[in-house]
Amino acid sequence: MHTTKKLLIYNQFNKNILRIIRERSTAAATVCPYAVSEENEINVEQMKHEFAKRATAAVEATTNYLPYSEVPGPRPLPIIGNTWRFAPLIGQFKISEIATMTFLLNQVYGKIAKVSGLMGRPDLLFVYDCDEIEKCYRNEGTTPFRPSMPSLVKYKSELRKDFFGDLAGVVGVHGEPWREFRSRVQKPVLQLKTVRRYVQPLEHVTDDFLKRCTTRLLDENSELPDDFANEIHKWALECIGLVALDTRLGCLDGDLDPKSEPQQIIDAAQFALRNIAILELKAPYWRWFPSISPMWKRYVRNMDYFVEVCMKYISKATERLKAGSEGALNGEPSLIERVLKEEKDEKLATVMALDLMLVGIDTISMATSSILYQLATRPEEQQKIYEELKRNIPDPNMPLTYQLLDQNKYTKAFIKEVLRLYSTVIGNGRTLQKDTVICGYKIPKGVQVVFPNLVVGTDDNFVSDATEFKPERWIKSEDNDMNLHKYASLPYGTGARACLGRRFADMEMQVLLAKLVRNYKLEFNHEPLKYCITFMFAPAGNLKFKMTPRGE
Ligand code: HEM
């Protein structure tokens, strides 16, 4: 097909699909908001057919790989490449519509699509075939490279190189320095023996959060306030303070003084949440002219503050160890104490704490917002969770244990299903470290491959009834014959570089659901919310849940 004609179809299709997606994503959340309607099928089918033919031919030609230049994708314009597609007014995609773009590329180009000519960054290659995704992960080697957060990379490797040096942590660090750091901290962070000790402390944090909701936040209609997302953020901060800093930060306390430490930590975390996407994705001129970017300067002050807080609490933990009074968790060593004892390196523990704080606040608070919204808008599933909790926790005041949480199979499946259908992290990625064949094309080293969780997780080729919300699919049983490709839903990534905090994340969300649903009914009686992306994928708008006690 002639290229200009193809672009015209593409542009027309794009307008249609954006309109449909907008309409869909404001509708009741019973189907995937990204399903495509029949009215687009002629264009989509034409495009799909053409590219599917090429991709299949390419895969079949096992010895004769097609060159990279043949990979389909929107054509870059001379000089300005494809960056204009993200530009305000003339561009097709707003940052908030990146999720849409990942669906669109799949609809138009099929299993593989290339977005090249992006100003100041390598090409992006979107792969929509789970078998190919599996191959990429399996061949990623011992030091997988995940392109991430240029602002953090600049901060750690240039601006504060004197502090981080060779011990820069895992986030925004690559190659041997990453492997060495990760191998020194991975065991304690992921080992069940350590993680399960946090059930009770996290339960206490969650009790305080629910008490705050019921005694301070609910209005006369038993509804939570417009900015309830901020309250979830504070709960997430309080949880991470416990895990990464061995302390209760006090973020859930009543009227906080604006100058108090918890309030300053809340402000710093909220700045990061609201501004990092803007800093990284919108005109990132701070990369070249940092001294004239007020947002970059604020970002640096913010990061310096996080480092200071981490140093303070890790140094307190060191003092406790020196004084022989360790045992921050009811007499058992905490994560930080284990790392300090085993590695005998306060700096390493400080940098680890910083990394856990940096990625462990927004991820969990966005995922939790999404889970609570789904819970409140799916009364049938909520009732099933409640019945399971009532069976496993007959006395609502019974302290939670790891075994109790593990018995809540449906609750765990509900969380997994939300993370499949509304993956908080919409895509994971790897920068290829060697030339690699993907879908029959020879892809050169240096290209950034994107695995779009949201798209493949809702693709019927890899998941049965893919756009339907069915937590049961995650429960092993003889009647469960649902297909679920192992690489279709990877909310925490996978392989050597997978999420370091996944065990804590799962536990925090399970504790919250167990305490909340066992004791309260959650409803949402307002216009349905649309999901959109800032850095993460979550419902946008006021989470004005109604919370009523269950009474037993
Ligand atoms: C539901 C919440 C969360 C989600 C969806 C999530 C998702 C992810 C994903 C997709 C990655 C990239 C994995 C890869 O490249 O294969 C990642 C990395 C990471 N996550 Fe999480 N995460 C969550 C919560 C947390 C929490 C609570 C912590 C800290 C306690 C944490 C710490 C980390 C760290 C340190 C990395 C970097 C690992 C590395 O590069 O070696 N995450 N996370």
Side-chain angles (χ1 to χ4, degrees), residues 137 146 170-171 178 182 240 243 355-357 359-361 363-364 367 419 424-425 428-430 453 490-502 504-505 508-509:
Y137 273 122
R146 186 187 55 251
V170 288
V171 185
W178 166 80
R182 175 123 184 176
I240 201 74
V243 172
D355 273 0
L356 296 182
M357 298 272 299
V359 281
I361 305 172
T363 41
I364 198 87
L419 294 181
T424 311
V425 176
N428 201 11
R430 294 286 182 257
N453 294 339
L490 295 173
Y492 296 117
T494 187
R497 216 163 172 161
C499 174
L500 200 49
R502 60 190 186 271
F504 282 107
E508 287 170 28
M509 295 184 296

Side-chain angles (χ1 to χ4, degrees), residues 167-201:
L167 263 188
V170 288
V171 185
V173 179
H174 299 105
E176 273 311 302
W178 166 80
R179 202 188 58 75
E180 205 209 314
F181 197 99
R182 175 123 184 176
S183 63
R184 290 176 72 184
V185 301
Q186 153 153 311
K187 203 165 144 199
V189 183
L190 287 174
Q191 213 172 33
L192 265 184
K193 193 172 98 185
T194 317
V195 176
R196 65 206 313 172
R197 289 185 190 138
Y198 283 82
V199 175
Q200 280 205 2

Side-chain angles (χ1 to χ4, degrees), residues 168-288:
V170 288
V171 185
V173 179
H174 299 105
E176 273 311 302
W178 166 80
R179 202 188 58 75
E180 205 209 314
F181 197 99
R182 175 123 184 176
S183 63
R184 290 176 72 184
V185 301
Q186 153 153 311
K187 203 165 144 199
V189 183
L190 287 174
Q191 213 172 33
L192 265 184
K193 193 172 98 185
T194 317
V195 176
R196 65 206 313 172
R197 289 185 190 138
Y198 283 82
V199 175
Q200 280 205 2
L202 288 172
E203 183 182 10
H204 294 151
V205 171
T206 306
D207 281 338
D208 291 350
F209 173 61
L210 294 176
K211 193 165 159 211
R212 179 174 166 84
C213 291
T214 49
T215 58
R216 300 185 72 99
L217 302 178
L218 286 181
D219 66 13
E220 62 285 1
N221 301 317
S222 298
E223 286 198 338
L224 289 158
D226 285 354
D227 68 345
F228 184 58
N230 281 340
E231 298 294 329
I232 297 175
H233 206 232
K234 290 181 196 169
W235 165 80
L237 251 175
E238 198 64 21
C239 291
I240 201 74
L242 205 61
V243 172
L245 303 174
D246 261 5
T247 192
R248 285 292 306 259
L249 290 169
C251 298
L252 299 170
D253 294 354
D255 304 320
L256 290 173
D257 184 320
K259 293 215 164 60
S260 65
E261 184 181 85
Q263 189 58 52
Q264 286 191 26
I265 294 179
I266 294 169
D267 293 344
Q270 281 179 357
F271 169 84
L273 176 67
R274 293 191 184 134
N275 294 300
I276 288 193
I278 301 173
L279 196 66
E280 305 244 321
L281 298 172
K282 264 196 177 173
Y285 67 95
W286 53 269
R287 288 199 208 185
W288 301 281

Side-chain angles (χ1 to χ4, degrees), residues 12-25:
Q12 184 52 43
F13 169 71
N14 186 25
K15 278 185 201 141
N16 284 341
I17 201 167
L18 285 184
R19 177 177 54 74
I20 288 159
I21 286 168
R22 275 193 204 103
E23 286 165 13
R24 289 276 171 118
S25 54

Side-chain angles (χ1 to χ4, degrees), residues 323-396:
S325 57
E326 74 260 32
L329 301 176
N330 299 330
E332 302 267 18
S334 65
L335 168 63
I336 291 298
E337 288 170 350
R338 261 195 77 180
V339 171
L340 282 169
K341 255 181 153 169
E342 285 166 20
E343 295 298 325
K344 302 191 175 24
D345 190 335
E346 190 172 321
K347 172 87 156 293
L348 177 112
T350 306
V351 176
M352 179 191 82
L354 179 73
D355 273 0
L356 296 182
M357 298 272 299
L358 292 179
V359 281
I361 305 172
D362 303 347
T363 41
I364 198 87
S365 55
M366 294 292 206
T368 302
S369 297
S370 180
I371 287 166
L372 294 187
Y373 177 68
Q374 294 302 325
L375 189 74
T377 51
R378 295 181 187 276
E380 249 178 61
E381 285 84 355
Q382 186 177 160
Q383 183 62 22
K384 283 189 192 168
I385 295 181
Y386 172 61
E387 278 159 17
E388 173 176 85
L389 293 171
K390 223 171 126 188
R391 250 189 340 268
N392 294 337
I393 313 173
D395 174 0

